[in-house]
Amino acid sequence: MPVRRCLPLLLAALLLAAPLAGAAAPAAADTRSGYELADGGAVPPPVTAAPARVARALAGGPAIAAVSPPIASAGTNTTITITGTGFGAQGSRSDVGFPSAGGVYWASGSTNAVNPDDIVSWSDTEIVVRVPNGLGAGGSRETASSGGLRVVTDANRTSAPFPFAVSFGVAGRRWAAPPVFLVNDNCPGVAGGADAVRRAVASWNAALPPDFRINCSGASNATEAARDGQSLIAWGPSGSITYWYENSTIVEADIILSTSYAWTAGDAGGSVYGIEPVTLRNLAFCLGIAWLDGIEPQGPSDAAKASCRYRTDGLGNMNLVALSPADRAAADYLYGGGDTNPPLLAAAFAADPIAGPAPLTVRFGDASLGGATGRAWYFGDGGTSTERNPAHTYAAPGTYTIALTASAPGYPSDTIRAVERIAVGGTAVLAVPGGAGIPTSTANDGQYDDVNGNGRKDFADVVVYFNQMTWIAANEPVGAFDFNANGRVDFADVVWLFNHL
């Protein structure tokens, strides 16, 4: 299944907090060897990756045939084998790129000079690479995440993205003894904030071994992070998540939830964030579990994991209060001696088209990783299916959220869900006079750039659009032909179409 897009608009909407900071040098006044810092609000922003490396990932080149295993953990020394053709000989520019907060995490270590080279071996047809975790270009901690990985050759050619899922990531640090948090019930205007915090703690405790349970029974009046020997969860003007560590042992952690956000102890949505879901995410970070950044809407995605960095309505995880199988596997690995790669699934699918006028028939195809044998489709309008590759017709206009749950015998029953949204317009597109048929959207994005309906985008579409501009404005749904998004059909759309041939 091709991974379709990186959601630049969604990521832009996520820029709600201060930039992440990275590992700091030790302070002379205390015994810490460094700390990790992330924003304590709801949605930390992604860090911009090195532009030259990202440019390489936009070229064309070698072909990936398979990745084995298709699901693996990051930061655990786990290796994957990438097979295909055209990888060439390894050189200074040869690399494997994984999705991450900064856009691409490069396995060679070039994302940040302090990162190790995780490429184990390289030939023209096979690459062995460790699934990496380290520092992003901006100095914040990042990890390889689910989505499409890429191979870049020494000749500066790149493969198409190939589906791969990261089950969980770890930062190489853990507690030696169960942490004890004090909780300040000072969330502005919200009753029951401390109870919501403790529900999140209870969820993690259910996944941790009996001899390692987080204690959060105590109270505090503190509102700022401080290296004072006492871990804290509170609200304050400077949102942050900080843990201090000595060597690889975490010794203290403070979660300060930003008072600049609107909070609720109940159902979250829009710009109001849930205390329990966000605390569930922040506790993952404090336990040494890496945040994941894969949010490809058709999967494989990290959005259904507590360790996903982002919380938005569009991802369907604003009210995520249950740990995923991958989250539980991470806790078991760090504190229960669990496997680096336990049996897990990653839901993924293809949908075509994802936008168009009603009635709209969408063809779905299961592309889940890990050996799924069962599928449960939810089409968002009340329709369901258990077929592997169903088709579904949307009769009424609207935006529909589609979910796929993948399952298999012997795997966790609460499997991961991949989510996509289908946009159905209210007015059918008509054949344009002088054209060959019904216009189509060549990118399945709701823009009907195949104006003459001949099945492709070419100069003939520019001619038909120019000649029939008045007719299009009077008879077609404006949104389908308003290519430059200025709210009307006009000559500027002709120019846009010509420039985008």
Side-chain angles (χ1 to χ4, degrees):
M1 178 200 74
V3 178
R4 297 183 301 105
R5 60 188 189 275
C6 296
L7 298 180
L9 295 179
L10 173 60
L11 291 180
L14 300 178
L15 300 176
L16 300 179
L20 307 182
D30 60 36
T31 60
R32 73 186 181 189
S33 59
Y35 65 85
E36 296 294 343
L37 175 65
D39 185 86
V43 187
V47 179
T48 302
R53 306 293 286 185
V54 173
R56 289 207 281 144
L58 300 178
I64 300 175
V67 176
S68 181
I71 305 172
S73 56
T76 62
N77 250 358
T78 297
T79 61
I80 59 173
T81 300
I82 304 167
T83 55
T85 57
F87 300 154
Q90 185 175 10
S92 61
R93 294 187 295 185
S94 303
D95 223 330
V96 177
F98 295 83
S100 75
V104 183
Y105 187 112
W106 297 103
S108 67
S110 60
T111 305
N112 191 300
V114 304
N115 292 339
D117 184 349
D118 284 303
I119 298 174
V120 178
S121 64
W122 188 294
S123 74
D124 185 58
T125 58
E126 182 180 284
I127 301 167
V128 178
V129 60
R130 284 183 291 271
V131 186
N133 175 281
L135 296 183
S140 63
R141 181 153 293 278
E142 294 185 20
T143 188
S145 299
S146 299
L149 63 77
R150 305 168 186 263
V151 169
V152 180
T153 70
D154 191 45
N156 221 18
R157 304 283 288 173
T158 189
S159 69
F162 194 90
F164 172 72
V166 171
S167 53
F168 63 85
V170 294
R173 304 184 183 102
R174 62 186 298 277
W175 296 80
V180 177
F181 285 90
L182 300 182
V183 180
N184 189 345
D185 193 8
N186 68 323
C187 182
V190 177
D195 291 338
V197 166
R198 293 186 173 108
R199 289 196 298 271
V201 170
S203 293
W204 278 111
N205 279 342
L208 293 164
D211 60 349
F212 191 95
R213 297 291 171 85
I214 304 168
N215 184 327
C216 64
S217 59
S220 172
N221 292 322
T223 60
E224 296 182 357
R227 177 71 164 91
D228 55 9
Q230 180 60 65
S231 297
L232 172 69
I233 303 176
W235 279 262
S238 300
S240 65
I241 313 164
T242 311
Y243 67 66
W244 290 264
Y245 62 93
E246 297 171 3
N247 297 317
S248 59
T249 300
I250 302 173
V251 295
E252 183 182 336
D254 289 348
I255 298 174
I256 308 299
L257 300 169
S258 176
T259 53
S260 64
Y261 294 115
W263 297 95
T264 178
D267 290 339
S271 60
V272 179
Y273 293 93
I275 296 169
E276 185 177 353
V278 173
T279 303
L280 196 74
R281 181 205 71 161
N282 294 349
L283 285 169
F285 182 89
C286 290
L287 286 169
I289 299 170
W291 280 345
L292 299 178
D293 301 285
I295 52 175
E296 175 64 26
Q298 294 182 11
S301 171
D302 300 316
K305 302 170 187 175
S307 54
C308 178
R309 186 184 303 262
Y310 309 110
R311 293 291 180 271
T312 72
D313 287 321
L315 293 176
N317 63 4
M318 286 285 279
N319 290 292
L320 180 66
V321 295
L323 299 183
S324 72
D327 295 317
R328 294 196 296 271
D332 188 43
Y333 169 77
L334 283 173
Y335 299 102
D339 294 338
T340 56
N341 291 294
L344 292 169
L345 301 173
F349 64 92
D352 183 41
I354 62 169
L360 180 69
T361 298
V362 181
R363 298 171 297 280
F364 296 92
D366 174 52
S368 299
L369 306 180
T373 58
R375 296 114 189 136
W377 296 89
Y378 305 87
F379 296 123
D381 62 351
T384 62
S385 176
T386 57
E387 296 179 25
R388 180 170 186 170
N389 302 311
H392 185 73
T393 299
Y394 294 91
T399 300
Y400 299 93
T401 299
I402 290 77
L404 168 64
T405 299
S407 60
Y411 287 76
S413 58
D414 49 341
T415 48
I416 297 171
R417 306 177 81 188
V419 177
E420 174 63 291
R421 293 192 170 193
I422 305 295
V424 182
T427 305
V429 172
L430 305 175
V432 178
I438 302 293
T440 65
S441 174
T442 60
N444 293 320
D445 59 2
Q447 290 189 330
Y448 283 72
D449 45 6
D450 170 27
V451 181
N452 67 354
N454 67 353
R456 60 184 182 274
K457 181 171 65 174
D458 54 25
F459 185 71
D461 297 306
V462 178
V463 175
V464 170
Y465 197 112
F466 176 77
N467 290 334
Q468 301 294 336
M469 196 184 329
T470 301
W471 186 94
I472 291 171
N475 295 279
E476 300 282 18
V478 171
F481 294 87
D482 177 22
F483 302 137
N484 69 344
N486 68 352
R488 59 186 181 273
V489 171
D490 56 20
F491 184 72
D493 298 302
V494 177
V495 175
W496 185 98
L497 184 58
F498 176 78
N499 289 333
H500 288 79
L501 290 178

